[in-house]
Amino acid sequence: MSLPDFSRNDVRPNDVSASLQVEISLPLPHFQLQCSFQTRAEVVVLFGPSGAGKTSVLDCIAGFRSPHQGHITLGERTLFSSQSGSNLPVRRRRIGYLSQQPALFPHLTVRQNVGYGLLDLPPAERDTRVDSILERFRIAPLAASRPSVISGGEQQRVALARTLACEPELLLLDEPLSALDLTLKALLLELLFDWQRERAVPILYVTHEQAEAYTLSSRVLVMEAGRVVADGEPHQIFSAPVTRAQAALSGYENLFDVVVEETHPALGTMSCRINGTALLLESPLANLTAGDAASIAVRAGDILVATSRPSGISARNILSGLILSIEDRSAMVELRVSCEAPSVPAAELGAELRPGLPAGSHVEFRAHITRGSLQSLDLHSGQTVWLILKTHSIQLLRT
Amino acid sequence: MISPLLLSLKLALVTSGLLFVIGLPVACWLAFTRFRLRFLVEALVALPIVLPPTVLGFYLLLAFGSRGWMGESWQRLTGHTLAFSFEGLVVGSVIYSLPFAVQPFTSALAAVDRRLLAASASLGAGRWRTFWRITFPLALPGIITGIALSFAHTLGEFGVVLMLGGNIAGRTQTASIAIYDNVQMLDYQAAARQSLTLIAISFALLVVIHALNRKRNWRLQ
C-alpha cells in the first residue's frame, strides 16, 4: 500500500529544526508580559483581545523588542537568552514578519521588492528565484509596477511573496488579512497554507477574531493581559463553531450539510450523515444530539488519497470513490472524487451503509495532493481511489 | 583671475558638497537617536540661523588667526594662514550653512516610515544596506532640498565672508562682497548687473529643485 504524504500532520512532525520555544517576560505599560509556549511546524493562532500583548510577543520573537528575561529558540538556534546575554539582531533571525500594512518599499518595483531579501545571491540565481515566486503568487504581471498603483490585496500578496522569498524559518503574521475583503483573504490563505504544507515551517498567526482563529488552525493559544491563558484545539476553546461562510472563505473546499445520526460521548465523536445520501462521516463530538442538522467542512489538503483500501490505519473515515477530474493548480493538484456509501458495512469504519437510507447517491470531494504524489500514484480520471479523513480534520460549523 | 561670481559658485559648490558629507551623518544621528539630550545638539546646529554673521565671523577669525587653535594647526599643516584664504571661507560657510542642510536632512530622514526600516531588517538587510537602499532614496527629496538651500545660502553669504576673507579679488572677493564694493564706489550699474545675476541663479536653482521634488513625490504616491 502506498499512501501519498502531504497531510499537514505528516510533515516532519518531530523535526527539531522547525520548532519554536518562547519563554519571555517584559513589563508593558498596563501589565507584565509573561508567556511561554512551544510550537512545531504547525500553524498556531495567537488569539486574544486588542492590547493583550500579542504583538509584543511577535516583536520579541522577531527581535524588534528585547524581553527583560527569558529565552527564545528557533530550532537549534538561540535567538535571545537573558542568561547567556545573547540577542541575535533582527536581520540574522531568518524570521518572516507580515502585518496588516504591507510595508512595501514605495520606490521599488514589485520585482525589486520581492527580490530585496535575496540581494546577496548572484543576480542570475536571484532572478530565477524571484521569477518563480512571482509566478507562484500570481503577481508576475505586476512585476514592473510600483506598489502605489496596485490594489491593497495585490500589495499584501507582494508583501507575502517578499517575506517568503527569503525562506524564513518561522513566519509571524500579525492580523495580515484584516484589511482585505473575503475573496482576497481566501486567496491569500490558500497561497499561505500551500506554502506552509510544503516547507513545514511554523507559523504564528495573531488575530483577535474568533472566526479567524477557528478556521485557521487546529491549535489556538489564547492571550489575556500578557499571559497565555489557554492552549488547545479551537473546539475546546470556543463554544460556538464557525459559520459556513467563514469556512468557505478560509479555504475549506469541502462543505456539506449533515444530520447527526448517533453520538459517541465515550469516544468523543459522532456519526454524521451527509444530507440526501447514505454516506456517514465520523466527526468530533459537539453539543448536538441525534437528528440535529449541522454543517461540516474539510480542507482538501487534509484528505489522504490511496490507490488501494488501506488497513490498519487510525483514521476513522475511509471512502472509496472514482476520480472525476485531475486539475493541475500552480502549487498542487486538485482531484475531484465522487464517493458513494461503501457496500461493505464494516463496523470499524466510520462510513457505513444503513438500511432504509437511499443508496447510490454520490458525494463529490475535493482533495489536494502534490505533483509528486500524482506521479508516484499514477492517478488518472475514472480510477477508483480511497479517501481517508481523520476525524479531527472534519470541522463542525454553525448552521 | 577668477571672477567674484565664479568664486561664489565655487564656494557654494564646495560648501554644499561638504555639508552633504558632514551633515548626513549628523542628521542621521539626530533623526534616529534616542539620546535624551538630543535637543542640545539640535539647538547647537540651529545656532547659525539666529546668530549675526558678524558674531560667527568674529569668533572664527579669532580661531583662524595664526595664534588661534585652528589657524595654528592649519598653518603648521599647509604653511599658510586659514584667515583670508578660500579654505577659511569654506570652513566658515560650512558652519554658517550647517542648519540649512542638517534641518531638511533630519526631517526627511525622520519622516521615512519606520515600518519600512523594520521590514528591511526582517528581510535580512543590515544597517548599511537599509540606509542606502531604503532610507536614503526615500529621504532624497529632503536631502536635495537641504543641499540646494545650503548652496543658495552660501551663494548669498556676506557677513561671515567679509569678516573672514576680507576683500581680496580673485581669492576671497565673492559676488556679494563685489556688489557691496561696487555700491561703495557708486558703480550702481555693475552692482545691479551682479545682483540680478545672483537673483537669477538662486531662483533658477530653487525652481529646478522644487520641480524635481514635485515630480518625484508624485511618482511615489
Side-chain angles (χ1 to χ4, degrees):
Chain A
M1 188 196 77
S2 61
L3 277 178
D5 177 20
F6 58 84
S7 142
R8 261 190 296 158
N9 300 322
D10 291 351
V11 197
R12 306 190 302 190
N14 297 314
D15 193 343
V16 220
S17 72
S19 76
L20 170 72
Q21 284 188 37
V22 177
E23 193 178 335
I24 50 174
S25 73
L26 174 70
L28 292 177
H30 301 294
F31 49 76
Q32 175 88 11
L33 184 72
Q34 188 108 47
C35 78
S36 101
F37 59 88
Q38 293 187 19
T39 81
R40 293 182 306 179
E42 56 187 341
V43 182
V44 174
V45 163
L46 201 55
F47 174 83
S50 302
K54 306 183 296 287
T55 300
S56 301
V57 172
L58 292 200
D59 282 349
C60 286
I61 299 171
F64 295 123
R65 294 182 83 150
S66 297
H68 275 202
Q69 289 216 326
H71 63 86
I72 302 167
T73 58
L74 180 58
E76 278 149 14
R77 295 189 301 142
T78 299
L79 304 183
F80 176 87
S81 166
S82 55
Q83 208 165 21
S84 66
S86 54
N87 191 1
L88 213 58
V90 177
R91 67 176 190 278
R92 299 245 171 80
R93 294 198 176 196
R94 301 186 54 79
I95 293 177
Y97 193 121
L98 189 63
S99 71
Q100 196 179 330
Q101 292 86 18
L104 296 177
F105 305 126
H107 58 302
L108 302 181
T109 62
V110 163
R111 188 186 179 81
Q112 289 168 325
N113 265 284
V114 172
Y116 187 80
L118 307 173
L119 287 170
D120 290 328
L121 294 180
E125 199 185 330
R126 183 166 73 228
D127 282 349
T128 327
R129 291 250 309 253
V130 171
D131 280 336
S132 79
I133 257 212
L134 289 174
E135 201 62 49
R136 173 160 192 175
F137 284 80
R138 301 173 211 170
I139 45 179
L142 311 172
S145 317
R146 282 184 203 276
S148 56
V149 301
I150 65 177
S151 75
E154 288 165 342
Q155 287 183 14
Q156 200 61 320
R157 223 148 79 214
V158 174
L160 185 61
R162 179 179 72 174
T163 303
L164 300 185
C166 306
E167 309 267 332
E169 289 167 20
L170 165 71
L171 196 54
L172 304 173
L173 302 170
D174 193 356
E175 308 198 17
L177 309 176
S178 48
L180 303 181
D181 68 46
L182 303 182
T183 334
L184 291 172
K185 254 187 187 181
L187 172 62
L188 260 160
L189 282 175
E190 190 190 323
L191 293 167
L192 183 65
F193 283 124
D194 282 346
W195 182 84
Q196 201 276 337
R197 277 193 281 268
E198 238 170 62
R199 306 295 161 102
V201 159
I203 296 182
L204 209 52
Y205 192 111
V206 161
T207 182
H208 66 269
E209 280 176 53
Q210 187 175 314
E212 224 177 26
Y214 214 101
T215 51
L216 281 170
S217 124
S218 51
R219 185 170 165 211
V220 177
L221 295 173
V222 182
M223 279 195 74
E224 252 167 54
R227 282 163 196 275
V228 175
V229 294
D231 178 354
E233 294 186 22
H235 75 272
Q236 298 169 324
I237 286 172
F238 309 118
S239 50
V242 285
T243 64
R244 194 173 171 138
Q246 285 157 356
L249 68 88
S250 51
Y252 284 90
E253 292 82 355
N254 300 291
L255 287 165
F256 304 108
D257 290 325
V258 296
V259 174
V260 177
E261 283 281 302
E262 214 177 319
T263 58
H264 315 290
L267 303 172
T269 64
M270 57 190 194
S271 303
C272 303
R273 184 170 52 80
I274 296 178
N275 276 4
T277 74
L279 209 77
L280 286 176
L281 290 175
E282 189 122 310
S283 77
L285 191 64
N287 192 16
L288 295 170
T289 53
D292 282 351
S295 288
I296 58 166
V298 186
R299 286 188 202 280
D302 282 344
I303 300 179
L304 290 167
V305 179
T307 50
S308 57
R309 177 187 286 281
S311 59
I313 185 166
S314 65
R316 302 285 293 159
N317 299 297
I318 296 167
L319 311 166
S320 75
L322 290 177
I323 297 180
L324 294 178
S325 69
I326 300 175
E327 195 188 323
D328 201 351
R329 299 280 187 88
S330 57
M332 42 73 190
V333 180
E334 182 172 278
L335 302 181
R336 280 169 54 235
V337 179
S338 168
C339 294
E340 59 180 320
S343 49
V344 187
E348 71 270 18
L349 299 181
E352 58 182 280
L353 186 64
R354 288 298 178 94
L357 290 171
S361 40
H362 293 259
V363 177
E364 192 183 308
F365 283 88
R366 285 165 189 235
H368 289 171
I369 62 171
T370 59
R371 281 213 192 85
S373 301
L374 180 72
Q375 281 170 6
S376 71
L377 291 176
D378 192 25
L379 298 175
H380 51 85
S381 285
Q383 188 179 348
T384 302
V385 289
W386 277 263
L387 301 184
I388 301 144
L389 287 74
K390 288 177 68 176
T391 303
H392 281 275
S393 69
I394 295 176
Q395 181 86 51
L396 271 158
L397 308 175
R398 194 193 298 143
T399 42
Chain B
M1 197 177 73
I2 191 164
S3 80
L5 187 65
L6 276 179
L7 186 74
S8 275
L9 286 172
K10 183 180 161 196
L11 179 65
L13 200 68
V14 172
T15 302
S16 52
L18 279 173
L19 276 172
F20 174 72
V21 178
I22 299 165
L24 206 55
V26 175
C28 269
W29 184 82
L30 284 173
F32 297 113
T33 188
R34 281 186 215 145
F35 182 55
R36 277 173 187 220
L37 302 179
R38 190 188 69 167
F39 66 93
L40 284 179
V41 181
E42 280 178 312
L44 198 67
V45 168
L47 203 57
I49 293 182
V50 293
L51 221 54
T54 43
V55 172
L56 186 66
F58 173 68
Y59 281 116
L60 286 175
L61 190 62
L62 290 188
F64 285 4
S66 48
R67 263 179 276 164
W69 62 274
M70 259 175 117
E72 205 183 51
S73 7
W74 182 264
Q75 200 154 15
R76 222 179 305 132
L77 229 64
T78 64
H80 57 89
T81 60
L82 199 48
F84 310 110
S85 72
F86 180 75
E87 291 82 357
L89 289 192
V90 169
V91 176
S93 306
V94 163
I95 295 171
Y96 186 50
S97 291
L98 190 69
F100 291 85
V102 170
Q103 286 185 349
F105 289 0
T106 306
S107 43
L109 291 169
V112 174
D113 190 342
R114 300 298 163 107
R115 287 178 301 215
L116 300 181
L117 308 185
S120 173
S122 84
L123 293 168
R127 277 159 196 249
W128 196 249
R129 178 176 291 171
T130 299
F131 182 78
W132 289 113
R133 300 242 177 199
I134 309 298
T135 321
F136 183 78
L138 289 174
L140 195 58
I143 289 168
I144 291 174
T145 303
I147 293 171
L149 280 179
S150 57
F151 185 91
H153 189 239
T154 307
L155 207 57
E157 184 182 322
F158 180 73
V160 177
V161 178
L162 194 65
M163 294 294 281
L164 277 181
N167 187 3
I168 307 166
R171 268 173 60 197
T172 61
Q173 194 194 53
T174 61
S176 55
I177 306 274
I179 293 166
Y180 178 73
D181 223 27
N182 284 327
V183 173
Q184 292 271 294
M185 293 188 294
L186 301 176
D187 187 354
Y188 278 51
Q189 217 178 359
R193 205 175 52 238
Q194 285 164 326
S195 297
L196 204 63
T197 317
L198 215 51
I199 289 178
I201 291 173
S202 303
F203 184 67
L205 181 72
L206 293 177
V207 166
V208 169
I209 295 308
H210 281 99
L212 272 181
N213 278 351
R214 190 171 152 230
K215 196 176 156 205
R216 200 184 152 78
N217 288 334
W218 175 82
R219 220 179 41 169
L220 287 183
Q221 191 45 259

